[in-house]
């Protein structure tokens, strides 16, 4: 059969990271690779009660088609949460999407012509690159420090690049680094976006999983020109298997996202929207999030304490105030992919995600992303200890 | 704010049909406009049992991330149904998508460069045009007769058009006309697709809702070169609010659809996949479909009998052997949109979908699509009688 796929498919390729993740998914391996929330906190029993309630109250409605933008009851509850976090919001300012990932796809579809530039952090969320790539963008990536994306480098990039359409950022407990953008940087980011007339995607699925430090207002809180598209998600605060996220933006943008959502999949699952809404009505989502915070802090502290005691001192790592990930930096001579494949998986039966895939440009090869939410405390102790010892051994003998 | 949306947004516009549908959604209006399955048959009580069972067996798995292609248990059951309907199929030959609509989006994303041609029936499913448009295709549309798409016209179009990528067809109980493609036409379609090297999208959400006549094998049954992409759906046989459909195609195509699915929304809802699988395990889906067939036949027969007794003889209509819709053709001087807006909605409080939106090219203005699954029998009697009387009156006095 002749090659008749579209040109965009050149940019849609299997990801090496996903293949390595599949290796790490073997039963006998302790994986810190995925981005899985802690399953032990999923509200299984509560969801039974919620389901019964939804079926009894609105059973046929919940199984029928509903609206592209989402059911009004859920949009209202999302808007109230947005408002509470510092973004004035009505239910009409929210569209429910099939997880944050769909938001990324629809936003790229809305803005990107082939060759348009998207600015990202360096490194950045791999899933965003996967969502953006089919629209054939160019990337500029901006180095980070402990306060997040560096504004001097961002300004430089905006100045020298004429066709920037979007700045993509994960400001809270960044994936993959765990870093949070400081208050000053958020204000500076908005000022630069205004000055250069670009749109900001604020992708913040981990925002509510803060277990230390003081919350910083969303970037959208400082948005006076309707330039920030906010992406939220129920995946980390309720359950990723329901595939529910939301987009909040000013009306011109949101209406177009609604048209693209209609084209892409008609609507999100009516049933799951009613279940999420029902959970928030019958149970206390904030109390549930508090339980998540407590558990993740415990797991993160445990992991950091093992890194401190069992890993070579030359290994650097971030110590996040929230979210699901920390970012580890090996001495430069250690390549994270080779160490994973040749040593960590076969000898210690432990896996992480190799860092270079998170770079849209100029990858660095001595990083890895480590997830602490998905594993049990026992697995963290066993897996991280073995990881640290193996690394020490390798560094002694050279890799 | 400067206009920075992508070029494709020129082809993504609010649809007039949707605005008219919204008019018809008023509480005081009997609408035959939507494509809603009969809510009275949704298995509300059964789903409670299924939910309880899923939570007890695999609660945390069902709320967690799973696989882009879908959970193996569901893919297996879908493959078995495909095989039973005449398409040899293993679970690896199936990807679960967010309703058939997402299948249409992903297929267009996979094949269409701006200006590539998609051949459709004339008229064709509006949702398909909505899915395809963002990829900036050109259309060729092929007239239909009582056996479906006319093969002489299709051959002509293939001969004279160099850049045809896809032929899109709804072969069973076509939306909007209710017509089913004959066996001979299916074979001829495959022969032409092979000869001209194009891919066929067989979109068949209504296939199992046949209540009269003899089933005809899917087009994919005759596919010897892996040219047919089959789209199935649970929306009409179980519940549209779960947003579950599937794509079946040969491996090269399916793997690329998997990559695009990952980019678009990571995966479909794990929870809904387990619920659909659980329903099929604990209940008899075929018996449920038999109930749907019985009810829809009753509703369709009732509707046709009222058309025969109460409508002007010059009105033509299709009499489908299955599915959800019939297609009505007024005498040419009656424009379906004007009659709906100026007479039917205000005077009879009845609504249909105006036909011209279903034409990608050269619209005809004297058709409407009428849905008989969503309304109750009482509504069908009341609404269609009023519709017929009003039409008679208008035709007597001129419109």
């Amino acid at each position: 059969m002749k090659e008749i796929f579209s040109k965009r498919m050149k940019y849609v390729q299997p990801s090496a990271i996903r293949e390595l993740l599949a290796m790490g998914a073997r039963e006998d391996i302790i994986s810190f690779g995925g981005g899985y929330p802690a399953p032990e906190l999923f509200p299984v029993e509560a969801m039974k009660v919620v389901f019964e309630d939804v079926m009894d109250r609105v059973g046929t409605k919940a199984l029928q088609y509903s609206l592209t933008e989402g059911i009004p009851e859920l949009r209202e509850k999302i808007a109230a949460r947005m408002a509470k976090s510092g973004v004035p919001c009505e239910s009409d300012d929210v569209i429910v999407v099939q997880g944050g990932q769909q938001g990324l796809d629809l936003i790229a579809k809305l803005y990107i012509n082939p060759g348009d530039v998207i600015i990202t952090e360096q490194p950045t969320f791999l899933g965003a690159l996967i969502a953006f790539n089919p629209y054939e963008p160019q990337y500029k990536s901006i180095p980070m420090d402990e306060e997040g994306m560096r504004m001097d480098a961002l300004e430089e990039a905006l100045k020298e690049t004429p066709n920037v359409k979007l700045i993509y950022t994960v400001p809270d407990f960044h994936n993959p680094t765990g870093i949070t953008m400081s208050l000053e940087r958020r204000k500076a980011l908005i000022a630069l976006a205004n000055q250069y007339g670009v749109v900001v995607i604020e992708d913040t699925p981990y925002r509510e999983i803060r277990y230390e430090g003081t919350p910083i207002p969303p970037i959208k809180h400082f948005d006076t020109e309707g330039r920030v598209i906010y992406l939220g998600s129920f995946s980390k605060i309720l359950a990723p298997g329901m595939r529910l996220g939301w987009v909040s933006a000013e009306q011109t943008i949101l209406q177009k996202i609604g048209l693209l959502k209609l084209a892409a999949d008609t609507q999100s699952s009516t049933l799951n929207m009613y279940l999420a809404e029902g959970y928030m009505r019958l149970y206390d989502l904030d109390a549930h999030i508090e339980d998540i915070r407590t558990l993740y802090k415990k797991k993160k502290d445990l992991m950091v304490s093992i890194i401190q005691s069992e890993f070579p001192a030359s290994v650097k790592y971030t110590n996040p105030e929230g979210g699901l990930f920390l970012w580890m930096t090996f001495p430069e001579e250690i390549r994270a992919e080779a160490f994973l494949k040749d040593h960590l998986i076969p000898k210690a039966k432990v896996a992480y995600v190799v860092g270079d895939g998170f770079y849209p440009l100029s990858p660095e090869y001595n990083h890895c992303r480590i997830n602490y939410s998905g594993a049990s405390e026992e697995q963290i102790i066993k897996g991280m200890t073995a990881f640290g010892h193996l690394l020490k051994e390798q560094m002694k003998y050279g890799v």
Side-chain angles (χ1 to χ4, degrees), chain A:
Chain A
M1 207 161 153
K2 68 180 176 186
E3 174 64 74
I4 54 168
F5 297 127
S6 62
K7 294 194 192 85
R8 69 182 66 84
M9 294 309 292
K10 203 165 57 175
Y11 307 93
V12 180
Q13 299 293 337
S15 131
I17 284 198
R18 280 176 57 86
E19 281 162 32
L20 289 171
L21 267 175
M23 275 177 67
R26 275 166 31 200
E27 286 283 330
D28 59 330
I29 297 220
I30 297 176
S31 178
F32 305 114
Y36 283 26
E40 62 267 39
L41 289 183
F42 289 154
V44 171
E45 291 305 316
M47 289 312 291
K48 287 186 191 172
V49 177
V50 171
F51 193 87
E52 193 88 10
D53 173 71
V54 166
M55 287 297 111
D56 286 342
R57 277 189 308 112
V58 288
T60 54
K61 269 177 90 170
L63 294 171
Q64 188 57 285
Y65 288 111
S66 60
L67 298 164
T68 296
E69 293 77 12
I71 61 168
E73 298 92 324
L74 180 62
R75 294 169 78 193
E76 218 165 273
K77 285 205 163 57
I78 293 170
R81 294 189 75 83
M82 292 286 296
K84 231 178 70 182
S85 84
V87 180
C89 193
E90 305 287 330
S91 62
D92 280 352
D93 302 324
V94 168
I95 286 183
V96 181
V97 289
Q98 180 74 355
Q101 184 73 20
Q102 186 179 45
L104 297 171
D105 172 64
L106 299 181
I107 294 166
K109 206 171 186 177
L110 174 56
Y111 284 101
I112 300 301
N113 293 316
D116 284 345
V117 174
I118 303 176
I119 292 181
T120 73
E121 279 129 357
Q122 173 184 307
T124 187
F125 172 46
L126 173 67
L129 300 177
I130 289 175
F132 299 157
N133 284 343
Y135 303 101
E136 305 172 60
Q138 304 277 338
Y139 294 103
K140 285 262 170 184
S141 62
I142 309 295
M144 305 175 75
D145 59 22
E146 65 286 351
E147 288 188 65
M149 192 188 273
R150 274 180 40 203
M151 290 300 129
D152 54 338
L154 174 62
E155 181 159 22
E156 197 58 39
L158 287 167
K159 201 178 294 175
E160 73 187 15
T161 319
N163 53 337
V164 176
K165 284 280 187 78
L166 300 168
I167 300 171
Y168 172 73
T169 178
V170 182
D172 304 296
F173 324 119
H174 180 257
N175 183 351
T177 68
I179 291 170
T180 293
M181 190 185 283
S182 69
L183 180 65
E184 290 64 36
R185 295 274 172 93
R186 291 175 193 229
K187 291 179 183 166
L189 176 59
I190 282 289
L192 286 171
N194 288 345
Q195 183 182 341
Y196 288 91
V198 300
V199 167
V200 177
I201 308 177
E202 178 173 27
D203 184 12
T204 185
Y206 321 111
R207 180 171 174 79
E208 301 210 61
I209 317 291
R210 173 182 281 280
Y211 39 73
E212 283 167 20
T214 318
I216 303 174
I219 299 171
K220 189 154 184 60
H221 174 78
F222 305 103
D223 177 22
T224 52
E225 299 187 3
R227 296 200 167 280
V228 177
I229 305 179
Y230 183 104
L231 278 180
S233 176
F234 284 103
S235 292
K236 307 307 184 291
I237 58 176
L238 189 55
M242 297 169 76
R243 308 303 304 127
L244 290 175
W246 66 91
V247 181
S248 183
E250 62 99 19
Q251 282 300 320
T252 326
I253 297 171
L254 210 59
Q255 279 161 16
K256 289 192 187 292
I257 288 181
L259 292 173
L260 290 173
K261 166 83 180 159
L262 173 71
D265 66 1
T266 320
Q267 57 159 98
S268 294
S269 162
T270 319
L271 179 59
N272 288 344
M273 290 193 277
Y274 273 108
L275 292 178
E277 196 272 331
Y279 182 85
M280 287 192 274
R281 198 162 26 73
L282 297 180
Y283 293 87
D284 183 346
L285 179 59
D286 289 318
H288 179 63
I289 294 171
E290 201 49 53
D291 291 342
I292 296 174
R293 288 183 187 129
T294 306
L295 180 68
Y296 287 15
K297 174 165 170 51
K298 207 166 147 200
K299 288 185 175 184
K300 190 270 291 178
D301 285 347
L302 177 62
M303 189 167 259
V304 165
S305 77
I306 298 171
I307 297 174
Q308 283 169 344
S309 63
E310 308 299 331
F311 277 59
S314 56
V315 165
K316 295 200 184 73
Y317 58 93
T318 58
N319 191 346
E321 297 188 327
L324 279 65
F325 306 108
L326 61 80
W327 182 244
M328 187 171 274
T329 302
F330 302 133
E332 274 192 25
E333 67 275 16
I334 296 196
R335 290 177 75 100
E337 179 171 341
F339 179 71
L340 176 73
K341 282 182 9 188
D342 301 340
H343 302 283
L344 196 62
I345 289 181
K347 296 179 193 163
K349 308 236 181 285
V350 170
Y352 52 62
V353 182
V354 176
D356 58 85
F358 296 93
Y359 291 76
L361 304 163
S362 327
E364 296 174 8
Y365 296 98
N366 58 325
H367 304 278
C368 63
R369 188 192 73 179
I370 302 182
N371 167 272
Y372 46 81
S373 58
S376 68
E377 289 165 67
E378 196 194 331
Q379 288 175 317
I380 291 175
I381 295 170
K382 194 175 159 203
M384 290 303 287
T385 305
F387 180 1
H389 291 179
L390 192 63
L391 195 59
K392 270 189 178 156
E393 205 178 295
Q394 285 304 313
M395 284 172 64
K396 195 154 56 188
Y397 298 110
V399 199

